[in-house]
Amino acid sequence: MEFSGNGYFGIEENKPIIFINEQLNDIDTSLTILHETAHFLNGDCNKYITNHFQNDNLEYEANKYMIQEVMKMLDEQYDFTTDTNYQQIIDNLNLPYHLDGIIIDEFNNIISDKFGLTPYHESDYFYE
C-alpha cells in the first residue's frame, strides 16, 4: 500500500492495522508509531469525517498522546529537573513548530508532579 506521510492507521478486514513509511529514520518511526497508536486507542478510525476542524482535533490529540509518551520515556531515562533545558528536547525531536507548546506543557506537568510545583501552561495565558 502506498500512502503519503509518515504513517496511517486503519481497519483492514475488521482488524486494526498501522502502516509506517519505511523511509523514516528510527526516531521518526517511533514517533509515528506512538501517533498512530493514539488514533487506535481513541477509536479515531470511525471518527474521520469531512469536517476539517474535527479532523484537526483528532490529529492534535494523537500528537499530544505521542508527546506525553515520549516525554515520560525521556524523563525515565534522563530524570528531568527544574534545570532541564526543554528547548534542547524540542530541537532534538525535530517536531513541527506547532507542537512546541505541547512539549512545553508536558515538560511542565512532569516537573510540577515531581517537585510539587504549580504547572505553568503556555495555553493558560492570552496575549493582547
Side-chain angles (χ1 to χ4, degrees):
M1 173 180 179
E2 283 194 40
F3 58 92
S4 62
N6 293 346
Y8 167 78
F9 164 72
I11 303 292
E12 299 284 328
E13 298 178 14
N14 292 323
K15 295 181 183 175
I17 188 165
I18 295 175
F19 294 95
I20 304 296
N21 184 331
E22 64 184 10
Q23 304 297 318
L24 298 177
N25 63 36
D26 290 345
I27 291 175
D28 288 339
T29 296
S30 299
L31 294 172
T32 301
I33 289 170
L34 286 169
H35 175 93
E36 298 305 331
T37 298
H39 285 307
F40 167 72
L41 293 172
N42 294 335
D44 290 347
C45 193
N46 297 326
K47 296 177 186 174
Y48 277 99
I49 56 174
T50 58
N51 182 318
H52 293 292
F53 176 75
Q54 287 180 333
N55 285 341
D56 288 347
N57 189 51
L58 297 178
E59 292 303 317
Y60 173 83
E61 290 300 322
N63 284 328
K64 184 175 173 183
Y65 173 85
M66 170 193 68
I67 289 170
Q68 287 172 335
E69 294 303 310
V70 166
M71 295 298 283
K72 284 182 212 173
M73 288 185 273
L74 289 172
D75 181 41
E76 287 175 14
Q77 184 171 359
Y78 298 109
D79 194 23
F80 294 163
T81 70
T82 54
D83 294 328
T84 300
N85 183 343
Y86 64 77
Q87 186 60 50
Q88 188 176 20
I89 297 167
I90 290 170
D91 294 343
N92 289 337
L93 289 176
N94 196 30
L95 294 171
Y97 176 76
H98 71 275
L99 300 178
D100 289 359
I102 301 171
I103 294 171
I104 294 166
D105 284 350
E106 188 56 29
F107 175 78
N108 287 327
N109 285 337
I110 290 169
I111 294 299
S112 67
D113 287 348
K114 284 174 84 170
F115 299 102
L117 304 172
T118 302
Y120 164 83
H121 293 283
E122 193 173 273
S123 58
D124 291 342
Y125 298 90
F126 298 96
Y127 303 99
E128 293 185 28

